[in-house]
Amino acid sequence: MDLGIEDKVALVMGASKGIGRAVASELAGEGARVAIASRSLENLGPLAQEIGATPFAHDSADLDGVPALVAAVGESLGPIEILVTNTGGPPGNADPLAQEREAWEAAHRTLVLAPLELIRACVPAMRERGFGRIVNIASNSERAAALAAFKTIARNVAGAGITLNTILTGRISTDRLVELYGGDRASLEESARKEVPVGRLGSPEELAAAVAFLCSTRASYITGVALLVDGGLTRVV
């Protein structure tokens, strides 16, 4: 299937590893001109060389730095037409009330405010071009706030040819999963065989394929949705 995104300019956040890295690789494989961002340029070097992406240093917590990042991508590659807002998330804790207020505030800043600032900075150029694809990667309570905001914004920009969708992740085999659940990949795979209906962990590449479709011209009538990529783990309809 031709996704119709060849030569489209894409910015993928949190691209140094895991899901972000897989998404950047998938979009580059479809012919997009990919900008990748992470806190450190050093972490992005190998991926940039491997897929022909352009690296940019940006800390998700730096809300004031968003306009400069978007402008830099525009000067280097052209106006951003595809935006994937992906961040690593806060440290895991089985007891949410055990988190200090500062941890909740930091999570809200990076998981809700940061994506919204990126959208605010990218939408004007998308409106001008009559095309935009924005995908957020979500999984926890703070990201649910972003999900609600995305739903509202999606209705507002739909007439301009811009879609906003959210990917809800399940147990994807990344370093982040190990950080959240502890143990090692082998023990996590064993748990997945018992608990995930498809009987295994998902791969970052499988999730990236879903992101790429939502970024495509083929997905022009899909907006404001939250797509589960979780191997059937979620029980609620």
Side-chain angles (χ1 to χ4, degrees), residues 5 7 9 12 24 28 33 42 51 54 68 108 122 129 134 147-148 170 180 190 210 225 232:
I5 58 174
D7 289 329
V9 176
V12 181
R33 290 181 287 156
E42 183 179 355
I51 68 174
T54 304
H108 185 74
C122 291
R129 300 172 76 84
I134 303 170
L147 179 62
L180 289 175
E190 178 62 28
V225 306

Side-chain angles (χ1 to χ4, degrees), residues 84-118:
V84 180
T85 57
N86 170 63
T87 58
N93 195 317
D95 180 5
L97 295 179
Q99 296 276 22
E100 298 293 333
R101 182 201 307 162
E102 291 78 10
W104 282 100
E105 289 176 341
H108 185 74
R109 186 178 184 86
T110 58
L111 302 178
V112 180
L113 299 182
L116 290 177
E117 286 299 321
L118 283 161

Side-chain angles (χ1 to χ4, degrees), residues 3-230:
L3 298 185
I5 58 174
E6 186 172 0
D7 289 329
K8 298 289 187 186
V9 176
L11 171 60
V12 181
M13 306 301 296
S16 63
K17 60 182 180 179
I19 290 170
R21 181 185 180 92
V23 169
S25 297
E26 186 76 15
L27 294 178
E30 292 293 334
R33 290 181 287 156
V34 179
I36 52 177
S38 184
R39 279 191 292 264
S40 170
L41 283 177
E42 183 179 355
N43 293 337
L44 294 172
L47 177 62
Q49 186 173 18
E50 177 185 336
I51 68 174
T54 304
F56 295 87
H58 177 74
D59 188 333
S60 294
D62 181 12
L63 304 185
D64 293 334
V66 168
L69 170 65
V70 172
V73 174
E75 291 172 5
S76 179
L77 299 175
I80 296 167
E81 297 157 291
I82 295 170
L83 171 65
V84 180
T85 57
N86 170 63
T87 58
N93 195 317
D95 180 5
L97 295 179
Q99 296 276 22
E100 298 293 333
R101 182 201 307 162
E102 291 78 10
W104 282 100
E105 289 176 341
H108 185 74
R109 186 178 184 86
T110 58
L111 302 178
V112 180
L113 299 182
L116 290 177
E117 286 299 321
L118 283 161
I119 294 168
R120 190 197 311 274
C122 291
V123 160
M126 292 179 176
R127 283 188 185 275
E128 289 180 6
R129 300 172 76 84
F131 177 90
R133 296 289 183 268
I134 303 170
V135 179
N136 188 39
I137 309 298
S139 61
N140 64 15
S141 57
E142 283 293 344
R143 298 181 204 259
L147 179 62
F150 265 45
K151 185 69 173 178
T152 300
I153 299 169
R155 293 178 61 86
N156 180 261
V157 301
I162 303 169
T163 67
L164 289 88
N165 294 294
T166 299
I167 293 286
L168 300 175
T169 68
R171 296 187 190 175
I172 306 299
S173 183
T174 62
D175 293 341
R176 171 69 174 164
L177 191 72
V178 175
E179 175 189 335
L180 289 175
Y181 288 91
D184 54 26
R185 298 290 175 95
S187 63
L188 292 174
E189 283 285 2
E190 178 62 28
S191 296
R193 279 193 285 274
K194 300 173 183 176
E195 299 170 7
V196 180
V198 300
R200 60 178 176 82
L201 298 177
S203 72
E205 291 74 21
E206 287 172 313
L207 189 141
V211 174
F213 177 73
L214 291 177
C215 292
S216 73
T217 57
R218 299 283 187 139
S220 59
Y221 206 62
I222 303 173
T223 193
V225 306
L227 175 65
L228 284 164
V229 182
D230 69 349

